[in-house]
């Protein structure tokens, strides 16, 4: 990879942020309004294309000076990329683009587009973070975007859900900040992956990922927008799978996490099948796949990470677009055909990534002797 090509992933996270800034200050004139949607779509499409091109090269590491005295720890922002972070970043931007293309031009709102672009850029920054200082900073900026989503869309009936989601995000960020302080104190500017993380650092990072994923019945687990679910699956799922891939002896706490997540898997699957209202059914279905994402690495570290990544693919490309369209107006045949494929994938239908993820989980559960989880799945 040439020196210039090393910066392609950074452009992939910068372009959505620049697009969000451009849309935020775009003149409110009727003759210029028609360019807002093309700018929105072009920012996402160009970011996705840059990630694809960057993925053709080898792993890159880029560092920038961030702070110095009197802060002796975490003095550089670092960004890196490997297969797992690249896949999750492409899924985040690709899902945002898929939802945007499903919208009618007259339904695209400037504020929603600005937030989606900001979430895309901040999310990619989280996924490409090479050290704890960068991860923590990008995580906080992503939380600010999610806070805007909840406060903006909270009605009188949804205010309680917004408060619950705020509680989950705050707890997740506090756990990450605490883990960052511990890791920086032990290792300084040590890069991610954190192979040497000991003591409280790893459980705190696990708590960060689990709170970001927000499994039902955690407060606010079913009261999130489709964009918040997408962030939960890509960033929270990425951190969870990253920790699982680095844990030689398995993740701590599997003894109690396995039955809890297995119960959630069963409960959300039953509730999704019995739900009569479409938005509620989509929420249960999203929680069901998030439970599978959490469960797989606990059952088997190596194969479970691949199963979890397949679950993230299914959530981002199938379940989230369905949830985004659940409260909208149905389009014509051009929309219904991909929607049918997504519905089959969301339910784990044959010849879909959902089926492959569930089949792989069944195989892993059977190989490890978890017959109860095998039966539930």
């Amino acid at each position: 990879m040439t020196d210039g090509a090393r910066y392609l992933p950074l452009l992939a996270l910068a372009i959505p942020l620049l697009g969000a800034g451009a849309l935020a200050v775009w003149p409110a004139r009727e003759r210029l309004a028609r360019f807002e949607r093309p700018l929105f779509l072009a920012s996402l499409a160009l970011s996705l294309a840059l990630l694809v091109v960057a993925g053709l090269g080898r792993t890159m590491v880029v560092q920038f000076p961030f702070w110095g005295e009197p802060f002796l720890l975490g003095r550089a922002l670092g960004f890196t990329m490997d297969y797992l972070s690249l896949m999750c970043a492409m899924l985040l931007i690709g899902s945002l683009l898929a939802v945007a293309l499903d919208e009618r031009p007259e339904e695209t709102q400037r504020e929603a587009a600005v937030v989606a672009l900001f979430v895309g850029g901040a999310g990619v920054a989280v996924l490409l973070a090479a050290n704890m200082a960068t991860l923590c900073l990008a995580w906080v900026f992503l939380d600010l975007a999610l806070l805007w989503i909840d406060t903006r869309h909270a009605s009188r009936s949804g205010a309680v859900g917004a408060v619950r989601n705020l509680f989950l995000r705050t707890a997740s960020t506090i756990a990450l900040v605490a883990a960052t302080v511990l890791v920086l104190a032990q290792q300084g500017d040590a890069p991610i992956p954190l192979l040497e993380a000991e003591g409280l650092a790893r459980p705190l990072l696990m708590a960060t990922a689990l709170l970001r994923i927000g499994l039902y019945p955690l407060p606010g687990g079913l009261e999130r927008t489709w964009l918040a679910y997408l962030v939960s699956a890509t960033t929270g799922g990425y951190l969870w799978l990253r920790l699982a891939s680095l844990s030689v002896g398995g993740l701590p706490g599997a003894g109690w996490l396995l039955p809890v997540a297995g119960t959630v898997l069963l409960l959300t699957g039953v509730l999704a099948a019995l739900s009569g209202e479409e938005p509620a059914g989509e929420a249960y279905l999203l929680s069901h796949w998030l439970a599978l994402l959490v469960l797989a690495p606990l059952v088997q570290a190596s194969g479970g990470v691949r199963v979890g990544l397949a679950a993230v693919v299914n959530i981002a490309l199938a379940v989230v677009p369905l949830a985004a369209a659940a409260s909208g107006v149905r389009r014509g045949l051009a929309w219904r055909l991909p929607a049918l494929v997504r519905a089959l994938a969301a339910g784990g239908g044959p010849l879909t990534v959902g089926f492959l993820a569930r089949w792989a989980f069944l195989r892993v559960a059977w190989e490890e002797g978890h017959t109860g989880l095998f039966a539930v799945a």
Side-chain angles (χ1 to χ4, degrees):
M1 180 179 291
T2 63
D3 290 339
R6 294 173 62 227
Y7 294 95
L8 287 179
L10 295 183
L11 288 175
L13 71 89
I15 284 174
L17 296 178
L18 293 174
L23 281 179
V25 299
W26 198 260
R29 299 176 183 175
E30 184 176 353
R31 61 190 180 91
L32 296 177
R34 64 178 183 270
F35 297 106
E36 293 178 5
R37 178 174 168 82
L39 177 59
F40 174 47
L41 295 177
S43 299
L44 292 175
L46 183 56
S47 178
L48 181 61
L50 288 171
L51 287 171
V52 172
V53 174
L56 300 177
R58 59 179 175 84
T59 302
M60 65 93 190
V61 177
V62 180
Q63 288 191 342
F64 300 97
F66 180 48
W67 59 37
E69 300 291 346
F71 304 101
L72 300 179
L73 299 176
R75 288 171 291 181
L77 292 181
F79 298 92
T80 187
M81 184 183 67
D82 62 2
Y83 177 77
L84 181 59
S85 59
L86 173 66
M87 284 294 297
C88 290
M90 290 174 60
L91 289 171
L92 173 60
I93 300 297
S95 184
L96 290 173
L97 182 59
V99 172
L101 290 173
D102 277 343
E103 292 179 335
R104 290 177 177 175
E106 61 270 17
E107 292 177 350
T108 302
Q109 299 180 359
R110 179 191 293 190
E111 291 185 1
V114 169
V115 174
L117 288 174
F118 188 85
V119 166
V124 173
V126 168
L127 298 169
L128 300 185
N131 56 45
M132 291 300 298
T134 308
L135 176 64
C136 193
L137 183 64
W139 196 276
V140 171
F141 276 103
L142 190 57
D143 274 351
L144 293 177
L146 294 175
L147 176 61
W148 186 95
I149 294 172
D150 284 338
T151 55
R152 184 67 178 175
H153 295 283
S155 59
R156 292 181 179 179
S157 60
V160 175
V163 172
R164 291 173 177 173
N165 291 329
L166 177 61
F167 169 77
L168 278 184
R169 289 196 308 273
T170 303
S172 176
T173 302
I174 290 174
L176 178 60
V177 171
T180 301
V181 171
L182 289 175
V183 172
L184 290 178
Q186 295 170 1
Q187 306 177 41
D189 279 330
I192 301 173
L194 306 169
L195 290 173
E196 296 85 11
E198 298 176 355
L200 287 176
R202 183 156 298 185
L204 284 172
L205 288 171
M206 288 178 60
T208 300
L210 289 173
L211 289 169
R212 169 67 85 209
I213 292 172
L215 279 185
Y216 174 83
L218 283 175
L222 295 176
E223 298 171 340
R224 286 174 281 178
T225 63
W226 66 267
L227 188 53
Y229 272 115
L230 178 62
V231 171
S232 297
T234 52
T235 60
Y238 162 77
L239 183 56
W240 182 253
L241 296 177
R242 173 69 71 194
L243 290 170
S245 66
L246 301 176
S247 299
V248 179
L251 289 169
W256 66 270
L257 278 173
L258 274 171
V260 170
T263 302
V264 173
L265 185 72
L266 175 61
L267 184 61
T268 52
V270 172
L271 292 175
L274 298 179
S275 178
E277 299 180 0
E278 191 174 26
E282 301 293 349
Y284 287 127
L285 197 57
L286 279 161
S287 296
H288 178 77
W289 284 103
L290 289 174
L292 187 70
L293 164 64
V294 172
L295 262 175
L298 296 173
V299 175
Q300 187 184 90
S302 57
V305 171
R306 293 190 291 269
V307 176
L309 184 57
V312 175
V313 173
N314 197 42
I315 292 170
L317 299 184
V319 191
V320 163
L322 286 177
S327 58
V329 180
R330 290 291 179 265
R331 281 63 165 179
L333 181 61
W335 183 89
R336 292 176 186 172
L337 191 58
L340 177 60
V341 176
R342 289 170 183 161
L344 287 174
L351 303 178
T352 64
V353 66
F355 175 81
L356 295 177
R358 191 175 299 277
W359 180 264
F361 179 77
L362 289 171
R363 185 180 62 183
V364 167
W366 184 263
E367 289 176 351
E368 297 298 322
H370 293 280
T371 55
L373 286 177
F374 180 88
V376 168

